[in-house]
Amino acid sequence: MKKYCYGFVLIVSVAINIFLSINLYGGRVQYSEKKLMLQDVDLGWSKKAAAEAEAIAAMPCSGHGRAFVDSLISEGGQLICECYDCYSGNDCSVYSPVGCTVDAKSGDPIFMEPFWMQNAENSAVVISGWHRLGYWYDHGDTMSIELERHIRKLHSVVGNAVTEGRYVVFGIGAMQLLSAAIYALASENASSPSNVLATIPYYPMFEHQTVFFNGKAFNFEGDTKTWQSKNDTDGKDVIEFVTSPNNPDGALTEPVLKGKTIYDHAYYWPHYTPIPSPSDQEVMIFSMSKFTGHAGTRFGWAVIKDKSVYDKFLQYIQFADLGISKDTQLRVLKLLKVVLEGDGKSLFQYGYEKMSDRWEKLIPIFSNSKRFSLQKRQPSHCNFFNQTRLPTPAYAWVKCERPEDLDCGAILAAGNIIGSPGSNFRDKDRYTRLNILMSEDDFELLLQRLTELVSLENNSIQTM
Amino acid sequence: MKKYCYGFVLIVSVAINIFLSINLYGGRVQYSEKKLMLQDVDLGWSKKAAAEAEAIAAMPCSGHGRAFVDSLISEGGQLICECYDCYSGNDCSVYSPVGCTVDAKSGDPIFMEPFWMQNAENSAVVISGWHRLGYWYDHGDTMSIELERHIRKLHSVVGNAVTEGRYVVFGIGAMQLLSAAIYALASENASSPSNVLATIPYYPMFEHQTVFFNGKAFNFEGDTKTWQSKNDTDGKDVIEFVTSPNNPDGALTEPVLKGKTIYDHAYYWPHYTPIPSPSDQEVMIFSMSKFTGHAGTRFGWAVIKDKSVYDKFLQYIQFADLGISKDTQLRVLKLLKVVLEGDGKSLFQYGYEKMSDRWEKLIPIFSNSKRFSLQKRQPSHCNFFNQTRLPTPAYAWVKCERPEDLDCGAILAAGNIIGSPGSNFRDKDRYTRLNILMSEDDFELLLQRLTELVSLENNSIQTM
């Protein structure tokens, strides 16, 4: 149904069921939880950007990719689709399965894309050219109070962290906050720097960051197991990274040494693990990446018990970069509002169903194999879904069982699957981490490649 | 002119002169430089966010403040305006000039707000809920190629930096890149850490960062003048911060020591200084903050000559936070497209006229004073505007001339002006830095407070 007028744009009526509603009376904007009509708003300055965004979002990319407003433009002036693995061409119409590899190396959480497409209306954000030019919000801080309030509400709904009486600090993803945590907890006694440890297999960034930033107040000391056996912690300043659920293997973990702890809870969401109880640790770090799928948005937060530790986090953020982009904070606020709609379960239901489905498809493939195995999973009670369930980790932690298969990554690579080798996590290369958070297309390809590999099990495979 | 239909939104025609135009044919989006019609696009998922953004932007806030989509909401459910200094109330209608202070302490570049309001249409950005979930762009990097291309074009248009054959790295504002630069340039010889210096008066973050991150490979050694007199640089590894134009005093500066240099060019834009020639240094750092006014967006970039230094910058960004938010990169791209429209002069003309006007209003006030003086300004040729002109710095660097006025900040504070004391820049407190990039309202108030202060010059003033 189309009409044409000229020189102006007419929004006739936005009579949608909206919970966050706007009335315009004398220039005031009224928010309420009631269903009200958003009407009488003639769109002006925002319509061009909106039309551009919708036009680009509507590009079909043959169903095997998508285009973004900042995608590249071809020499012919055409926006280029960004294709899933094994598809190519400006519109992703060219399928080249032979010999093409499936990339399961990174932790890109593309599996959440359909959820956000289904919730397009409420998750869209329009940022004006003059949105928050200044460094500070009106209350004199670089962190949005509204956003902090939504984060606290989120943890209360999910039941995965205690936030009452705790401090919250925003960071550039969990990544920055892991580093901030080291600075916040490190020894102030220059003659005895803190010893930073983690338990193998561990997320490699702990080590990379601590070594790279090379502070005078801390040293990376590697695996906690070495220290346990030596009973080495007595009297020494220890900071232990505890990733729970663990990256790469998805296990709920506990600290093994006596000392200060940094809980990396990036995966402590109902998509991946039963939530037995709210975490109540000194320093807990969360992020958008694995929770809503917005890895590219680079937003995380720390929940902190102690005021002096909190103050050091703030100092770190101030000196590192003067805080998080206001654009990012606005977008995250919008996303959290969608997550918290209704009973606050729809995103987690989507995530858990998707992950369960993927594990249910992986298991039979590995059950047919004696060469490859997956990590064991134990059921436990999830308070959020109020049911006993298996963990559904973000990664398959694949073990090559044959004594001669010392380099599992190479064996998978020969089957056109790219994983992350065990040695990245300071474990044996007999293990490989496979990301299963990719797009549906890429996951189907991964299943196909794994099935091919297992079907070849009694034949010899070149191990490179 | 209003019409009403129900249950849908109808964009009738967007027949605006647009250079970046979109045609929809078979799902392809065609970009061209021609003026085309953006039509036949029925807005769907984006219209609610667009209507919300426009409704909030239209809040008048009595002309003395503004509201944002993420502003706080009152107990009565009403969005609260954020008011300029001395105005208060939910709609900024309450003016309380008596005894209220004008805040000229921070470097908030609010003076650019009207430019972006005038360019609302082309600077707006709509971000879908599924915009770039992944860590990487399609080319496997965390930095947008399109954005990098626009940054290079920008420098070519402005003529303030050589970028041909140089590398570009994005960071969280200039702030993060200053710290990254230290890591990138620091000594690899553990027994002789790099000596980091700057020339007083200098931007205090150089010192705060270097001391806080407390790396084993560098030490902050303070003022270059101490080393010059001692002829101390021979054989020592030196990294010198060169801020040009300088913060706080706006002078175009050169390094004074022999060694590696980090050029902070945050203010090297035609708003603030004549551009005599493109800068062609090893490491040059720019940011949006003082250039477009988007301090809150936290986006900067470094232009780097040497490949090995570039690689270390990349490593820093990877370990610090895995790169800049994709939302921020998209917004910055939109903003740069506006800056580069036409002959690429309109933003700079706006900025320079505004700054000239402010300096022209400041000068007569200080001319009437023997107690307070401003920094000297020397004219030079600006290649960008092709004229000889005075610098129009972002800050007034005020000196209290009376021998007894050792604490200039206190004297200004007694006159209800809050500045940043000279000692913040490791200079004497006889100096105070006053930001003159604030909103028009706040600047008018600053002029009024300064006028009052000068008019009291022959009387005694309480100094705190």
Side-chain angles (χ1 to χ4, degrees):
Chain A
M1 187 166 171
K2 289 170 190 171
K3 281 189 180 178
Y4 293 89
C5 301
Y6 296 96
F8 69 98
V9 170
L10 184 61
I11 288 261
V12 182
S13 171
V14 188
I16 309 144
N17 287 346
I18 45 173
F19 288 88
L20 177 64
S21 308
I22 299 171
N23 280 326
L24 293 176
Y25 297 116
R28 284 175 301 147
V29 174
Q30 186 79 25
Y31 279 78
S32 93
E33 296 297 313
K34 295 177 199 161
K35 290 184 184 181
L36 291 174
M37 304 269 281
L38 174 56
Q39 60 186 19
D40 299 349
V41 179
D42 290 345
L43 280 193
W45 54 265
S46 66
K47 66 202 169 194
K48 180 179 160 188
E52 183 193 32
E54 291 212 20
I56 291 168
M59 283 178 69
C61 296
S62 310
H64 301 295
R66 57 267 186 271
F68 299 109
V69 175
D70 53 1
S71 288
L72 294 183
I73 294 161
S74 71
E75 284 185 10
Q78 191 182 319
L79 205 71
I80 301 174
C81 286
E82 304 185 7
C83 311
Y84 300 127
D85 288 345
C86 307
Y87 290 91
S88 61
N90 282 359
D91 61 353
C92 305
S93 62
V94 183
Y95 183 50
S96 316
V98 180
C100 115
T101 56
V102 57
D103 183 356
K105 191 168 182 177
S106 85
D108 266 355
I110 310 298
F111 79 117
M112 294 300 293
E113 225 170 41
F115 176 84
W116 293 108
M117 289 177 173
Q118 287 157 25
N119 287 273
E121 183 175 61
N122 287 342
S123 61
V125 60
V126 173
I127 304 181
S128 71
W130 63 94
H131 179 71
R132 296 207 178 278
L133 297 192
Y135 291 101
W136 325 101
Y137 288 91
D138 211 29
H139 59 287
D141 196 345
T142 61
M143 293 187 281
S144 158
I145 289 179
E146 270 296 281
L147 181 50
E148 184 184 332
R149 199 170 64 78
H150 280 77
I151 286 173
R152 290 177 186 274
K153 189 172 169 194
L154 170 74
H155 286 300
S156 157
V157 167
V158 179
N160 62 343
V162 174
T163 63
E164 293 79 18
R166 307 291 186 274
Y167 303 95
V168 173
V169 179
F170 303 165
I172 314 287
M175 275 287 289
Q176 182 180 43
L177 293 164
L178 294 168
S179 187
I182 291 290
Y183 276 89
L185 295 176
S187 166
E188 290 185 351
N189 181 351
S191 63
S192 61
S194 292
N195 301 281
V196 182
L197 300 103
T199 302
I200 289 175
Y202 58 74
Y203 178 50
M205 280 297 176
F206 303 144
E207 181 170 342
H208 294 325
Q209 285 189 322
T210 315
V211 170
F212 183 84
F213 290 110
N214 196 20
K216 290 171 186 137
F218 52 82
N219 290 312
F220 193 77
E221 293 291 329
D223 190 16
T224 56
K225 291 191 192 77
T226 342
W227 280 47
Q228 266 180 304
S229 59
K230 289 190 204 158
N231 209 3
D232 254 350
T233 58
D234 292 345
K236 290 196 178 173
D237 193 275
V238 162
I239 303 174
E240 182 179 350
F241 279 110
V242 182
T243 311
S244 182
N246 195 36
N247 175 0
D249 60 10
L252 289 177
T253 57
E254 297 287 337
V256 298
L257 300 175
K258 281 180 191 163
K260 292 169 271 190
T261 50
I262 300 166
Y263 271 76
D264 179 350
H265 276 327
Y267 301 86
Y268 196 51
W269 299 102
H271 330 9
Y272 309 111
T273 176
I275 305 291
S277 63
S279 185
D280 186 19
Q281 305 296 337
E282 291 289 333
V283 175
M284 302 180 280
I285 294 171
F286 295 88
S287 83
M288 294 298 278
S289 177
K290 303 306 182 293
F291 152 42
T292 63
H294 293 84
T297 294
R298 315 302 312 121
F299 185 85
W301 61 94
V303 181
I304 300 158
K305 261 189 194 170
D306 185 76
K307 175 74 163 63
S308 66
V309 173
Y310 167 67
D311 288 340
K312 286 184 193 162
F313 264 89
L314 290 183
Q315 208 175 19
Y316 181 97
I317 299 295
Q318 190 195 348
F319 294 147
D321 49 35
L322 273 175
I324 313 306
S325 172
K326 307 297 176 287
D327 320 316
T328 298
Q329 294 192 48
L330 174 56
R331 188 180 188 212
V332 170
L333 177 64
K334 275 273 180 186
L335 298 171
L336 291 194
K337 283 180 177 175
V338 173
V339 173
L340 291 169
E341 271 169 19
D343 63 359
K345 287 208 157 43
S346 68
L347 174 124
F348 301 106
Q349 255 152 0
Y350 174 89
Y352 175 48
E353 279 166 24
K354 187 72 89 176
M355 294 308 297
S356 297
D357 179 66
R358 293 192 172 186
W359 275 94
E360 279 164 24
K361 286 174 174 163
L362 276 178
I363 293 293
I365 299 173
F366 283 84
S367 301
N368 284 330
S369 173
K370 286 185 178 160
R371 187 174 197 186
F372 305 104
S373 68
L374 288 170
Q375 70 261 50
K376 300 285 173 289
R377 299 180 299 149
Q378 297 300 330
S380 61
H381 189 77
C382 177
N383 278 339
F384 181 73
F385 286 128
N386 197 23
Q387 64 178 32
T388 296
R389 47 162 282 206
L390 284 167
T392 44
Y395 307 108
W397 185 233
V398 176
K399 185 179 179 188
C400 282
E401 296 283 353
R402 290 185 188 166
E404 67 272 26
D405 287 352
L406 295 172
D407 186 352
C408 195
I411 292 161
L412 291 167
N416 290 318
I417 298 166
I418 308 299
S420 190
S423 55
N424 274 5
F425 308 89
R426 299 293 177 254
D427 209 330
K428 297 192 183 82
D429 276 335
R430 179 174 293 290
Y431 293 93
T432 296
R433 191 193 79 171
L434 299 182
N435 170 32
I436 58 169
L437 307 181
M438 62 262 284
S439 72
E440 204 62 30
D441 260 24
D442 290 352
F443 183 69
E444 289 299 326
L445 186 65
L446 175 66
L447 291 178
Q448 190 186 320
R449 292 278 180 263
L450 285 169
T451 306
E452 288 162 10
L453 205 53
V454 170
S455 73
L456 287 171
E457 200 159 303
N458 294 320
N459 306 328
S460 69
I461 299 169
Q462 288 294 330
T463 59
M464 287 177 73
Chain B
M1 189 166 174
K2 290 171 189 170
K3 281 188 180 177
Y4 295 88
C5 299
Y6 296 97
F8 69 99
V9 171
L10 184 63
I11 289 263
V12 181
S13 170
V14 188
I16 307 144
N17 287 346
I18 44 175
F19 288 88
L20 177 63
S21 308
I22 299 172
N23 281 327
L24 294 175
Y25 297 116
R28 283 175 303 146
V29 174
Q30 186 79 25
Y31 279 77
S32 94
E33 296 297 313
K34 294 177 198 160
K35 290 183 184 181
L36 291 175
M37 304 269 282
L38 174 56
Q39 60 186 19
D40 298 348
V41 179
D42 290 345
L43 282 192
W45 54 264
S46 67
K47 65 200 169 194
K48 181 179 159 188
E52 183 193 34
E54 292 212 19
I56 292 169
M59 282 178 71
C61 297
S62 310
H64 300 296
R66 56 266 187 271
F68 298 110
V69 176
D70 53 1
S71 288
L72 295 183
I73 295 161
S74 72
E75 283 185 11
Q78 191 182 320
L79 205 71
I80 301 174
C81 286
E82 304 184 7
C83 310
Y84 300 127
D85 287 345
C86 307
Y87 289 91
S88 61
N90 282 358
D91 61 352
C92 305
S93 61
V94 183
Y95 183 50
S96 315
V98 180
C100 114
T101 55
V102 57
D103 184 356
K105 191 168 183 176
S106 84
D108 266 355
I110 311 298
F111 79 117
M112 294 300 293
E113 225 171 40
F115 176 84
W116 294 107
M117 288 178 174
Q118 287 157 25
N119 287 273
E121 183 174 60
N122 286 343
S123 61
V125 61
V126 173
I127 304 182
S128 71
W130 63 94
H131 178 71
R132 297 209 176 276
L133 296 192
Y135 291 100
W136 325 102
Y137 288 91
D138 210 30
H139 59 287
D141 197 343
T142 61
M143 293 187 281
S144 158
I145 290 179
E146 269 297 281
L147 182 50
E148 184 185 331
R149 198 171 65 79
H150 280 77
I151 286 172
R152 290 177 185 274
K153 189 172 169 193
L154 170 73
H155 286 300
S156 156
V157 167
V158 179
N160 63 343
V162 173
T163 63
E164 293 79 17
R166 306 291 185 275
Y167 303 94
V168 174
V169 180
F170 303 165
I172 314 286
M175 274 287 289
Q176 183 181 44
L177 294 164
L178 294 169
S179 188
I182 292 289
Y183 277 88
L185 295 176
S187 165
E188 290 185 352
N189 180 352
S191 63
S192 61
S194 292
N195 302 281
V196 182
L197 300 103
T199 301
I200 288 176
Y202 58 75
Y203 179 50
M205 280 296 176
F206 303 145
E207 180 170 343
H208 294 325
Q209 284 188 323
T210 315
V211 170
F212 183 84
F213 290 110
N214 197 21
K216 291 172 185 135
F218 52 81
N219 290 313
F220 193 77
E221 293 291 328
D223 190 16
T224 55
K225 291 191 193 77
T226 343
W227 279 48
Q228 265 182 304
S229 58
K230 289 189 203 158
N231 209 4
D232 255 350
T233 57
D234 291 345
K236 289 195 177 173
D237 193 275
V238 161
I239 303 174
E240 182 179 350
F241 279 111
V242 182
T243 311
S244 184
N246 195 35
N247 175 0
D249 61 9
L252 288 176
T253 58
E254 297 287 338
V256 298
L257 300 175
K258 282 181 191 163
K260 292 169 270 191
T261 50
I262 300 167
Y263 271 76
D264 178 351
H265 276 326
Y267 301 86
Y268 197 51
W269 299 103
H271 329 11
Y272 309 111
T273 177
I275 305 290
S277 62
S279 185
D280 186 19
Q281 305 297 336
E282 291 289 332
V283 175
M284 302 180 281
I285 294 170
F286 295 88
S287 83
M288 294 297 277
S289 177
K290 304 305 183 293
F291 152 43
T292 63
H294 292 83
T297 294
R298 317 300 315 118
F299 185 85
W301 62 94
V303 180
I304 300 158
K305 261 189 195 171
D306 185 77
K307 175 73 163 64
S308 67
V309 174
Y310 167 68
D311 288 339
K312 285 184 193 164
F313 263 89
L314 291 182
Q315 209 176 17
Y316 181 97
I317 299 295
Q318 190 194 349
F319 294 147
D321 49 35
L322 272 175
I324 313 307
S325 171
K326 307 297 176 287
D327 321 315
T328 298
Q329 295 193 47
L330 174 57
R331 188 179 187 212
V332 170
L333 177 63
K334 275 272 179 185
L335 298 171
L336 291 194
K337 283 180 178 175
V338 173
V339 173
L340 292 168
E341 272 169 18
D343 63 359
K345 285 208 159 44
S346 68
L347 173 125
F348 301 106
Q349 255 151 1
Y350 174 90
Y352 175 50
E353 279 166 23
K354 186 71 88 174
M355 294 307 297
S356 296
D357 179 65
R358 292 191 172 186
W359 275 94
E360 280 164 23
K361 286 173 175 164
L362 277 178
I363 293 293
I365 298 173
F366 283 83
S367 301
N368 284 331
S369 173
K370 286 185 177 161
R371 187 174 197 185
F372 305 104
S373 68
L374 288 171
Q375 70 262 50
K376 301 283 173 290
R377 299 180 299 150
Q378 297 299 331
S380 61
H381 190 77
C382 176
N383 278 339
F384 181 74
F385 287 128
N386 197 23
Q387 64 178 31
T388 296
R389 49 162 282 207
L390 285 167
T392 45
Y395 307 108
W397 184 234
V398 177
K399 185 178 180 188
C400 282
E401 295 283 354
R402 290 184 190 167
E404 67 271 28
D405 287 352
L406 296 171
D407 186 351
C408 196
I411 291 161
L412 291 167
N416 291 317
I417 297 166
I418 308 298
S420 191
S423 55
N424 274 5
F425 308 90
R426 298 294 177 254
D427 209 329
K428 297 192 185 82
D429 275 334
R430 178 173 294 290
Y431 292 93
T432 297
R433 190 192 80 171
L434 299 182
N435 170 33
I436 58 169
L437 306 180
M438 63 262 284
S439 72
E440 203 63 29
D441 261 22
D442 290 353
F443 183 70
E444 289 299 326
L445 186 65
L446 175 66
L447 291 178
Q448 191 184 320
R449 293 277 181 263
L450 285 169
T451 306
E452 288 162 10
L453 205 53
V454 170
S455 73
L456 288 171
E457 198 160 304
N458 295 321
N459 305 328
S460 67
I461 298 169
Q462 289 293 331
T463 60
M464 284 176 78

